[in-house]
DNA sequence: TCTTGAACCTCTAGTCACTGGAGGATGTAG
DNA sequence: CTACATCCTCCAGTGACTAGAGGTTCAAGA
């Protein structure tokens, strides 16, 4: 019933070196080993790694995931802290979107240059002088 | 008239170790030195470093900046390559925005949980099971 | 039982763009 | 001439992996 690291890798869609890395940073606990020191995993490890992978896909940092995993193992507690972590992450995502949107507008204004020589190129001009930017800050 | 690295740092708004790092990776050329091996800079270095800082603020990677600087020093060439680099970067920015927007929607749906115990928390549930996500891919 | 070979092991280093610190030398103002 | 801010080099750390070298283990087929 025990899975090798390769089987765990396929089931949880996480690369083998990444699994070993997660163990090293304490996100996964040390699994049992065969006599020849090979790792063997059980169904609980599959669940935990799936959780980690999904949280990473949703952009949570490893540190936040560590906290979420700790909280998830205390089913009777209130979920306030889980929400705090998620809302903090959501705020981060929102401000990244805001910054990138401003950036996109700036870049779109720049590519409005109508293809002359570099000495007249609007892109080079703007890069050399932030005063020509729409937004005061980036 | 020559500037110390600290004065250059203040004028171009780039930290001292970062200037030395840019020199190390060949983004800035090696400046003249005093007898005691301290760096001294001129106005051209200020302009170049300002260009670099601004391009970094606009999200260009160091490699792209290297190419832009090379191109900027050939004023009579057509600016097509400058546009290619900028448009590639703009496309990157756009797809980052798209990914983050999808992420934001997903997270906002998750925080819709009305604060119960962790065993019933929607956030934990979704993290444990991607099948509960709005979008098939992240 | 033996052999093959895929998959496993550890350890190290590389990615990107910096940032910080230790420990010592230099330059300038009073 | 002395104080001391600033400079120098070198090394290590950040986040989250990823890749490679060089060697070992395991399971299946002959
Ligand atoms: Zn142009
Ligand atoms: Zn600008
Ligand atoms: Zn909840
Ligand atoms: Zn999902």
């Amino acid at each position: 019933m025990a899975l090798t690291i390769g089987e765990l890798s396929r089931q949880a869609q996480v690369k083998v070196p990444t699994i070993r890395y997660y163990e090293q940073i304490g996100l996964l606990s040390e699994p049992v080993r065969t006599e020849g020191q090979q790792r063997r995993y059980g169904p609980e490890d599959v669940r935990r790694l799936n959780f980690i992978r999904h949280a990473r896909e949703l952009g949570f940092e490893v540190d936040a995931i560590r906290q979420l995993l700790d909280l998830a193992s205390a089913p009777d507690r209130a979920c306030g802290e889980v929400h705090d972590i998620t809302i903090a992450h959501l705020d981060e995502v929102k401000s990244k979107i805001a910054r990138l949107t401003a950036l996109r507008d700036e870049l779109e204004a720049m590519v409005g240059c109508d293809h002359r020589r570099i000495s007249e190129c609007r892109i080079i001009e703007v890069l050399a002088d932030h005063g020509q930017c729409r937004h005061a800050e980036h």
Side-chain angles (χ1 to χ4, degrees), chain A residues 1-124:
Chain A
M1 255 277 9
L3 304 171
T4 66
I5 198 169
E7 288 158 350
L8 175 62
S9 166
R10 277 183 291 280
Q11 289 201 24
Q13 299 277 70
V14 175
K15 290 180 186 161
V16 168
T18 304
I19 295 173
R20 288 197 274 250
Y21 168 72
Y22 285 161
E23 181 185 327
Q24 195 191 310
I25 63 170
L27 208 50
L28 292 175
S29 54
E30 295 189 10
V32 295
R33 302 265 187 154
T34 62
E35 281 188 17
Q37 300 308 312
Q38 297 198 356
R39 294 167 177 82
R40 289 296 180 271
Y41 297 92
E44 178 54 31
D45 296 307
V46 180
R47 272 192 294 277
R48 190 177 174 94
L49 189 51
N50 259 313
F51 186 102
I52 294 168
R53 192 214 60 223
H54 196 212
R56 286 292 301 131
E57 285 171 352
L58 289 167
F60 287 91
E61 293 182 3
V62 163
D63 229 47
I65 296 174
R66 215 189 298 272
Q67 295 175 55
L68 288 170
L69 283 164
D70 281 357
L71 290 165
S73 67
D76 290 333
R77 290 179 57 183
C79 65
E81 286 175 75
V82 172
H83 285 243
D84 292 347
I85 292 168
T86 308
I87 286 166
H89 176 42
L90 177 53
D91 287 349
E92 261 297 305
V93 170
K94 282 180 182 167
S95 70
K96 267 186 195 154
I97 291 172
R99 263 182 287 128
L100 287 171
T101 303
L103 220 58
R104 184 198 57 196
D105 294 348
E106 213 75 75
L107 291 167
E108 267 171 350
M110 285 162 70
V111 297
C113 163
D114 48 356
H115 281 265
R116 294 161 186 256
R117 282 177 302 138
I118 276 174
S119 58
E120 302 165 304
C121 180
R122 172 151 177 71
I123 293 171
I124 297 288

Side-chain angles (χ1 to χ4, degrees), chain A residues 106 110 122-135 138:
Chain A
E106 213 75 75
M110 285 162 70
R122 172 151 177 71
I123 293 171
I124 297 288
E125 260 175 45
V126 175
L127 285 174
D129 175 18
H130 171 58
Q132 311 226 357
C133 280
R134 256 87 174 133
H135 300 74
H138 301 297

